[in-house]
Amino acid sequence: MKEIKSLELNEKYYEIDHKSGLKIYVMPKENYSSAYAVFGTQYGSIDTKFKRSDSDSFTAVPEGIAHFLEHKLFESEDLDAFARYAKTGASANAYTSFDRTCYLFQCSDNFKDSLEILLDFVTHPYFTKETVEKEQGIIGQEITMYYDVPGWMSTFNLLKLLYVNHPVRIDIAGTVESIAQITDKLLYDCYNTFYNLNNMALAVVGNVTPEEVISVCDKMLETAPLLEIERSFEDEPREIAGKFTEYNLAMSMPVFSFGYKEKCQSPKQDIKTIVQTNIILEILAGESSDLYNSLFEKGLINSSFSKEYFIGNGYEAIIFDGESENPQAVCEEIKREIARFKENGIDEEIFEAVRRSLYGREIMEYNDIDSIANGFMSSHFGGYSLFESLEIYKTVTKEDIEKRLSEILDEQYCALSVVKSKE
Amino acid sequence: MEFVKSEITDGVDLIAVPVDRFKTNEIAFTFALPLKNEAASANALAIGLLSRKSKDYPDMKSLNRKLASLYGATLAATVSKTGEAQIMKLGITALDDMFSLDSDSIVFECVRLLTSLIFNPKLDNDGNFCDDDVLSEKRILAEKISSEENEKRTYVLRKAEELMFKEEPYAINKYGTLTQVESLSAADAVSAWRRLLENAKIMITVVGNTDYDSILNHLKNAFSSVDRNYKALPEPVFISKCDSVKQELERIEVKQGKLVLGFRVNLKSNDSLTPAMRSFCDIFGGGPYSKLFANVREKMSLCYYCSARYTRLKSCIMIQCGCNEENMDKAVSEILNQLEDIKNGNFDEELESSKLGLRDAILSVNDAPEIIENWCSNQITDEILKTPEMSVAENDAVTKEQVQQCAKLLTLDTVYKLVSLEEAE
């Protein structure tokens, strides 16, 4: 068990390599009333083609299967997981993203019982032909529901413009047609590959001790066989698939997503690059930037405007989104401002102000037990350590930022997606 | 949670929650005014205007730069409704002083910033808000009203409320209407600003680790220049039950239908039975152990989601479902069946789960400063401010008989259906 401290944050956590193969992180928080636990696997909607180290060939699976599996794991032969949590008082949930599936709970009392339930149901799958068929109907409804959510549609339509082959362009839950191809056998294949404890991590934050967590893991987890997973993504060209798309819904305020496809230097982005890019976005389009204030005063955006460095295995993009009566005009202003920064460089004073502001925001992340626990998932699967980013905010220079700026936000690779009512 | 309440002036209190376990402090000014048709838009406009600029920070950029220099402090103005009160809030989340790289107190600077925004807005020579600022804020407010319609869950709930509470203030949208926003003038905005300062019930909440005495003095000083004319908020209109069910079906271009059921609850907001009503609502349609989730959604697959929400201050329970048109009538009758089931006392296991679940949820309020702040300001219209621990004790004391009694206090008032055009074809 390793203890990792940050004097600056006045926090410490424990990192444990459990004998089962699972990586465990525990951050005790004094005087907190509750604990938050998240158990995750590096497996998401983009993992549709993979090869196990004990197999010779790649397996291709239907789109949406990671999310489907998440739903199904809550069931077991007798009591489902929600019914079991109902006896401990914990509130439980799960989510599937592009590259991660996580199961979580928060509780004030009966922590060890709830952790037992979490470890137990995630490590004991139970699927039959009948339960799979029933779920196809339920998830079909969930997929349909998102077709009415403007922000969701706007983002996914943008990803379809930016990516030609990479599965990040498909809906996390798949489509009604793709999930119809899912069978209990396919679910077991995916489960046995990606829910190997060597591919997973557990993070617990709150009123707990590492000893409590380890004792439950010792009791519940068996040693997993060593397994390596090779993931395959079709070659993704540098070019984008399209420049513009519009989708119509019954609504009042148009919603847009405007994105730049970036070149992936390596399958995953290192933490330095992430911090540098976030600083650039804040300087360019944060609330204290010229761009944000001028767009706001011209009536082109409102406080729903946001920007994101959107990254994962084999994909990397910068996305601006929000509501606007004139999305095209917003894009033109963003492009003009990027060109101005690239030409003139970055003002020292602004750089320092933004760095100080983001440094503060980074510390603020350490309030909430859920954001810390999910932060462990990001750092673990991203291949860096939790406290590293705070250090980088302190040491990054204006020259680093300018160099990074010269590599990104190329107008040739940008696209716009709009969702509005029919005219 | 422990708090100290200090009266600043008539109807204005400082609620200090001293805690040292967080990285941030929360400071918020919450204003409560009666929800009125003629004032709702102007009040919402005023809080928006106050959040953008002040005499000391005459443009948005200078204010946003100030916030950035305060280690990325975030400022937010929100409008909501609690019962039949309209709630305007302006608050800041800021880093705790222990992380300051120089010797300045971040918290105190934030309090000063908030008082600058609230007490010294940017006005023109005639004492009005500037026309450009008013125009820009009217645009933001109109867009908020429009953007609410983008989210179909919010949209259909609002339509159902408009139908159910037609003649009552509760039907008024928290932002007012597009037409009202359109007609607002700079003079309306100034009157609304004065209303906030002079007539509203005001709660200032500070959650964190700081010197409360100097904050109290600063606030007393700020309010000394205000000519307060405070009257207690009126009681919400109380309708104990209804005689017939109002029904409405709306067809629009959506992929999935939505269903809302509105119930009148024959129980006033200060009744000693309200904790049992909260338990009832949780058993009916709260957690995954609830009747609606376990039966209507899971067992019968009639809805993709189906949940109930109790609004104590308006004595009503609203049920929201995602549901296809073909299943809607079945869903309505099944929801009523589940209510009968509770009336008949079939909920022993659910009660046990609900007690644990609510206890857990209430105690977790203590683990985030912004949730503690919300917990306090949500009670602005109540006589007594309860701590989470007091609510947990009330929850623990709820009996099965009380829950059964609560189930009998509901009558169905409204059924609102939002369905897709395609299904009609």
Side-chain angles (χ1 to χ4, degrees):
Chain A
M1 181 160 80
K2 251 194 322 193
E3 183 186 287
I4 293 115
K5 269 188 180 170
S6 164
L7 290 176
E8 204 144 22
L9 288 165
N10 192 23
E11 296 285 2
K12 63 178 172 200
Y13 67 86
Y14 300 91
E15 189 180 323
I16 301 130
D17 286 306
H18 193 255
K19 59 190 176 202
S20 60
L22 182 67
K23 181 68 120 182
I24 305 171
Y25 299 92
V26 182
M27 186 187 280
K29 290 284 258 181
E30 264 175 56
N31 299 322
Y32 272 60
S33 308
S34 52
Y36 184 102
V38 51
F39 187 23
T41 167
Q42 189 173 7
Y43 172 50
S45 65
I46 61 171
D47 299 302
T48 50
K49 202 171 170 193
F50 55 86
K51 185 169 99 62
R52 296 163 55 103
S53 49
D54 55 5
S55 160
D56 301 330
S57 58
F58 277 91
T59 308
V61 291
E63 295 172 353
I65 194 164
H67 172 258
F68 200 97
L69 191 50
E70 175 222 301
H71 271 236
K72 292 313 298 169
L73 272 187
F74 278 90
E75 281 175 20
S76 74
E77 208 165 350
D78 32 67
L79 272 186
D80 75 30
F82 281 121
R84 296 174 69 188
Y85 279 125
K87 300 201 183 317
T88 70
S91 71
N93 212 336
Y95 65 87
T96 305
S97 66
F98 292 103
D99 52 7
R100 217 193 289 172
T101 311
C102 291
Y103 302 81
L104 54 98
F105 71 84
Q106 181 165 359
C107 69
S108 309
D109 299 315
N110 309 317
F111 168 74
K112 285 170 88 170
D113 294 338
S114 296
L115 184 60
E116 270 193 26
I117 297 170
L118 175 69
L119 298 180
D120 186 46
F121 85 82
V122 176
T123 55
H124 290 93
Y126 172 75
F127 324 118
T128 64
K129 192 165 170 280
E130 292 70 35
T131 62
V132 169
E133 276 169 12
K134 186 179 176 207
E135 200 68 28
Q136 280 161 341
I138 294 173
I139 296 186
Q141 279 194 49
E142 182 179 347
I143 293 171
T144 314
M145 184 180 78
Y146 282 112
Y147 293 156
D148 286 327
V149 181
W152 182 271
M153 290 313 293
S154 172
T155 305
F156 277 90
N157 288 343
L158 173 69
L159 294 174
K160 286 192 178 77
L161 290 177
L162 295 181
Y163 288 88
V164 180
N165 296 319
H166 193 287
V168 72
R169 69 193 301 282
I170 59 174
D171 203 320
I172 290 175
T175 60
V176 172
E177 295 73 36
S178 75
I179 62 165
Q181 299 160 30
I182 293 174
T183 61
D184 48 339
K185 154 101 180 43
L186 281 170
L187 286 175
Y188 277 114
D189 285 347
C190 290
Y191 179 86
N192 290 325
T193 304
F194 291 104
Y195 284 71
N196 181 298
L197 293 175
N198 296 295
N199 189 45
M200 299 179 77
L202 170 71
V204 185
V205 183
N207 62 345
V208 291
T209 63
E211 289 75 20
E212 283 176 290
V213 176
I214 294 169
S215 73
V216 178
C217 290
D218 286 349
K219 180 178 165 193
M220 302 302 296
L221 300 176
E222 286 167 30
T223 303
L226 278 177
L227 176 73
E228 275 168 43
I229 306 162
E230 199 182 323
R231 299 158 207 255
S232 158
F233 303 112
E234 302 288 330
D235 277 343
E236 178 62 33
R238 183 72 184 92
E239 282 67 40
I240 56 176
K243 287 297 254 186
F244 177 76
T245 183
E246 185 181 305
Y247 177 80
N248 299 122
L249 276 178
M251 57 194 282
S252 307
M253 190 66 204
V255 166
F256 71 92
S257 299
F258 174 55
Y260 289 79
K261 179 179 182 177
E262 300 299 339
K263 190 174 176 196
C264 271
Q265 310 285 2
S266 57
K268 282 188 189 172
Q269 300 72 19
D270 62 272
I271 183 69
K272 258 191 189 157
T273 310
I274 297 173
V275 168
Q276 289 169 1
T277 314
N278 284 333
I279 292 178
I280 292 173
L281 292 187
E282 194 64 27
I283 291 174
L284 177 71
E287 286 181 9
S288 56
S289 68
D290 290 334
L291 177 68
Y292 182 91
N293 288 285
S294 118
L295 287 172
F296 204 102
E297 269 159 18
K298 284 181 187 159
L300 287 170
I301 58 166
N302 55 37
S303 42
S304 70
F305 181 76
S306 72
K307 71 268 179 220
E308 185 191 359
Y309 182 36
F310 173 82
I311 48 171
N313 204 334
Y315 60 90
E316 181 174 341
I318 288 169
I319 301 175
F320 303 88
D321 52 31
E323 299 170 348
S324 179
E325 291 290 355
N326 191 349
Q328 276 82 1
V330 178
C331 298
E332 288 315 309
E333 299 265 337
I334 292 174
K335 285 186 202 164
R336 203 173 307 144
E337 190 68 357
I338 291 170
R340 188 173 74 95
F341 270 113
K342 286 194 170 182
E343 169 122 14
N344 302 344
I346 288 162
D347 182 81
E348 183 75 40
E349 207 177 310
I350 292 175
F351 166 71
E352 282 304 334
V354 163
R355 182 159 73 148
R356 180 174 162 125
S357 158
L358 291 183
Y359 171 78
R361 296 257 169 99
E362 181 71 19
I363 295 174
M364 291 183 193
E365 291 290 313
Y366 289 88
N367 256 353
D368 296 333
I369 53 179
D370 57 348
S371 72
I372 302 171
N374 286 299
F376 274 120
M377 290 291 130
S378 303
S379 63
H380 176 76
F381 295 129
Y384 53 94
S385 74
L386 190 68
F387 295 147
E388 225 174 303
S389 47
L390 195 65
E391 258 336 282
I392 298 171
Y393 276 112
K394 277 163 59 188
T395 52
V396 65
T397 66
K398 187 169 90 83
E399 288 65 40
D400 296 336
I401 299 295
E402 283 172 341
K403 178 170 177 294
R404 175 74 183 142
L405 177 61
S406 70
E407 297 161 356
I408 56 174
L409 295 165
D410 187 334
E411 227 174 89
Q412 219 182 319
Y413 308 112
C414 68
L416 172 65
S417 151
V418 176
V419 178
K420 59 190 279 199
S421 62
K422 225 181 259 171
E423 272 167 21
Chain B
M1 178 188 119
E2 282 171 14
F3 67 89
V4 184
K5 181 171 169 176
S6 321
E7 189 182 59
I8 291 170
T9 173
D10 192 21
V12 183
D13 293 315
L14 169 67
I15 304 292
V17 187
V19 280
D20 60 6
R21 58 183 177 274
F22 300 124
K23 310 282 185 241
T24 59
N25 295 285
E26 292 288 322
I27 309 124
F29 279 68
T30 308
F31 303 86
L33 283 165
L35 193 55
K36 282 187 186 159
N37 225 341
E38 61 278 15
S41 286
N43 294 341
L45 184 78
I47 199 77
L49 280 164
L50 298 181
S51 75
R52 307 269 175 232
K53 298 171 185 182
S54 75
K55 210 173 273 172
D56 305 325
Y57 304 97
D59 56 66
M60 265 178 60
K61 200 157 76 181
S62 62
L63 175 60
N64 284 330
R65 296 232 156 128
K66 174 71 184 174
L67 290 164
S69 78
L70 289 166
Y71 301 89
T74 54
L75 173 77
T78 54
V79 180
S80 57
K81 68 180 176 188
T82 296
E84 286 175 354
Q86 188 187 13
I87 311 291
M88 276 62 61
K89 178 148 97 178
L90 190 62
I92 289 190
T93 303
L95 204 60
D96 190 83
D97 290 347
M98 69 187 271
F99 300 104
S100 173
L101 295 175
D102 31 48
S103 57
D104 303 344
S105 163
I106 306 170
V107 188
F108 201 75
E109 263 310 289
C110 289
V111 174
R112 269 224 284 264
L113 176 58
L114 277 175
T115 46
S116 161
L117 295 169
I118 291 166
F119 293 89
N120 291 306
K122 183 188 162 200
L123 301 176
D124 64 16
N125 294 335
D126 303 326
N128 275 330
F129 283 99
C130 306
D131 285 336
D132 284 354
D133 295 343
V134 172
L135 209 62
S136 157
E137 206 56 39
K138 279 167 72 170
R139 191 259 308 173
I140 297 294
L141 192 54
E143 289 185 4
K144 277 189 184 149
I145 295 173
S146 298
S147 121
E148 264 197 336
E149 288 188 23
N150 284 359
E151 294 305 329
K152 293 296 167 257
R153 277 197 207 202
T154 318
Y155 172 76
V156 67
L157 180 64
R158 222 182 70 201
K159 295 295 285 267
E161 286 177 350
E162 280 170 14
L163 178 66
M164 177 160 167
F165 306 104
K166 211 170 185 176
E167 307 294 327
E168 300 158 59
Y170 195 70
I172 300 166
N173 182 17
K174 59 186 180 185
Y175 299 127
T177 66
L178 284 174
T179 327
Q180 285 162 350
V181 172
E182 191 45 49
S183 71
L184 291 173
S185 68
D188 294 330
V190 163
S191 330
W193 167 56
R194 292 203 189 291
R195 205 154 48 225
L196 289 177
L197 280 181
E198 292 165 12
N199 307 121
K201 182 164 188 191
I202 304 175
M203 183 192 274
I204 300 140
T205 336
V206 182
V207 182
N209 181 23
T210 184
D211 171 11
Y212 285 100
D213 288 338
S214 52
I215 293 179
L216 184 62
N217 285 334
H218 178 80
L219 292 172
K220 279 190 171 158
N221 192 27
F223 274 98
S224 66
S225 60
V226 177
D227 194 9
R228 287 280 290 169
N229 177 19
Y230 165 67
K231 275 193 219 72
L233 291 155
E235 290 274 311
V237 175
F238 176 70
I239 294 180
S240 57
K241 54 183 180 183
C242 55
D243 306 325
S244 62
V245 180
K246 303 184 198 69
Q247 304 239 24
E248 180 84 47
L249 184 140
E250 181 182 350
R251 281 194 190 280
I252 64 170
E253 197 182 328
V254 286
K255 300 280 186 286
Q256 190 186 57
K258 308 256 184 266
L259 171 68
V260 175
L261 271 68
F263 289 89
R264 297 283 181 178
V265 173
N266 190 4
L267 188 71
K268 288 204 168 169
S269 64
N270 52 1
D271 196 289
S272 61
L273 209 54
T274 55
M277 188 58 84
R278 181 178 52 200
S279 298
F280 159 77
C281 189
D282 190 50
I283 290 165
F284 190 26
Y289 41 77
S290 69
K291 293 278 181 191
L292 299 186
F293 185 90
N295 297 297
V296 185
R297 183 193 127 124
E298 290 293 295
K299 225 175 258 167
M300 311 183 69
S301 300
L302 290 172
C303 311
Y304 171 63
Y305 64 88
C306 188
S307 63
R309 186 165 177 184
Y310 169 43
T311 302
R312 175 177 58 90
L313 289 156
K314 183 56 193 167
S315 304
C316 67
I317 286 180
M318 306 300 284
I319 292 179
Q320 302 186 65
C321 317
C323 189
N324 287 332
E325 189 178 357
E326 54 179 28
N327 287 333
M328 279 185 182
D329 290 329
K330 239 190 281 174
V332 172
S333 73
E334 196 44 48
I335 289 166
L336 295 172
N337 279 343
Q338 296 301 323
L339 176 60
E340 285 305 311
D341 214 34
I342 302 178
K343 284 185 192 167
N344 294 331
N346 300 322
F347 58 86
D348 290 331
E349 259 186 56
E350 289 89 347
L351 176 61
E352 220 171 289
S353 301
S354 164
K355 282 206 165 188
L356 285 169
L358 286 179
R359 183 192 161 81
D360 234 274
I362 299 168
L363 283 175
S364 72
V365 166
N366 287 318
D367 285 350
E370 68 279 11
I371 300 178
I372 295 178
E373 193 284 309
N374 264 316
W375 173 271
C376 297
S377 58
N378 281 341
Q379 297 181 66
I380 185 169
T381 63
D382 286 306
E383 286 288 314
I384 302 163
L385 178 61
K386 285 181 187 163
T387 62
E389 290 71 20
M390 288 159 82
S391 286
V392 163
E394 289 177 341
N395 177 59
D396 287 347
V398 168
T399 66
K400 183 179 173 185
E401 291 66 35
Q402 288 175 330
V403 173
Q404 224 173 326
Q405 194 187 339
C406 284
K408 295 173 184 159
L409 299 176
L410 269 70
T411 45
L412 181 61
D413 183 295
T414 297
V415 176
Y416 199 99
K417 297 170 175 171
L418 182 78
V419 294
S420 97
L421 289 169
E422 282 166 23
E423 277 194 73
E425 281 157 12

